[in-house]
Amino acid sequence: RFKIGGMGPDFSGVVYAFYTDGIVKPNGLHADEIDVEIVGNGNPGRGWAVNTMQLGVWVPNYALKQYLINLGPYDMVNNFVTYAFQWNYDAIDFFINGQYVYSSSLYQDTMGYTQPQKVIFSLWDGTPFPDFSKSMNWNSPRAADFKMIVDYVKICT
């Protein structure tokens, strides 16, 4: 199980991500990847708030499996929120604050791979992906202030 407690930016276009990425990229291909991405896509009820989480599983030679969750009651801008995924042999289960939210079992025949993984935290500009995120306004005075705060990281076997 991979688990973090964190807070992210309240800024349109910023993507706050926690994911694993395969260390070995076979034949130069994209490596195995499990994503938790919180998207600054804007919510008119909260201003330009972060309110959508995309969960993704990528296995080379297969398609990317993605699922969107409305974060609704989870306020990751003002409070620490716990995000986790449990990597099982037959599925990857995702959790928010200890509550199960989704399971990706599309690739049951590939979930048992043993490719080494690294854990990555990132903030990135989602502007080039308009179907995924709103545009980021780099001219805003707030653009220099966005940040990600990670309270803890826990990786269990």
Side-chain angles (χ1 to χ4, degrees):
R1 180 179 278 221
F2 296 79
K3 182 176 178 181
I4 71 158
M7 294 173 67
D10 181 13
F11 199 79
S12 179
V14 176
V15 179
Y16 159 55
F18 152 57
Y19 63 101
T20 66
D21 188 37
I23 294 169
V24 178
K25 296 188 176 8
N27 301 322
L29 299 173
H30 192 286
D32 301 326
E33 190 174 305
I34 302 169
D35 300 333
V36 174
E37 296 176 313
I38 295 87
V39 184
N41 64 353
N43 178 339
R46 292 180 57 202
W48 289 109
V50 175
N51 72 327
T52 303
M53 180 169 67
Q54 176 175 277
L55 307 173
V57 177
W58 169 265
V59 178
N61 301 319
Y62 290 83
L64 175 64
K65 171 79 175 194
Q66 297 174 326
Y67 183 73
L68 294 176
I69 292 178
N70 185 321
L71 290 173
Y74 304 105
D75 182 3
M76 54 79 67
V77 173
N78 297 303
N79 299 293
F80 283 100
V81 175
T82 301
Y83 305 98
F85 58 84
Q86 185 161 323
W87 185 352
N88 304 305
Y89 183 78
D90 61 346
I92 297 173
D93 297 327
F94 294 89
F95 303 85
I96 302 175
N97 287 346
Q99 299 294 313
Y100 166 85
V101 293
Y102 179 68
S103 182
S104 177
S105 57
L106 181 65
Y107 307 111
Q108 289 181 357
D109 59 332
T110 63
M111 285 304 172
Y113 62 74
T114 57
Q115 186 183 97
Q117 298 282 294
K118 58 188 171 200
V119 177
I120 300 169
F121 299 89
S122 67
L123 288 172
W124 53 278
D125 180 358
T127 302
F129 306 95
D131 292 338
F132 181 66
S133 176
K134 296 276 189 200
S135 293
M136 186 167 168
N137 179 1
W138 287 100
N139 295 320
S140 167
R142 293 181 57 219
D145 293 333
F146 68 81
K147 60 187 171 215
M148 169 180 17
I149 301 169
V150 177
D151 185 41
Y152 68 90
V153 178
K154 186 173 184 180
I155 301 174
C156 307
T157 56

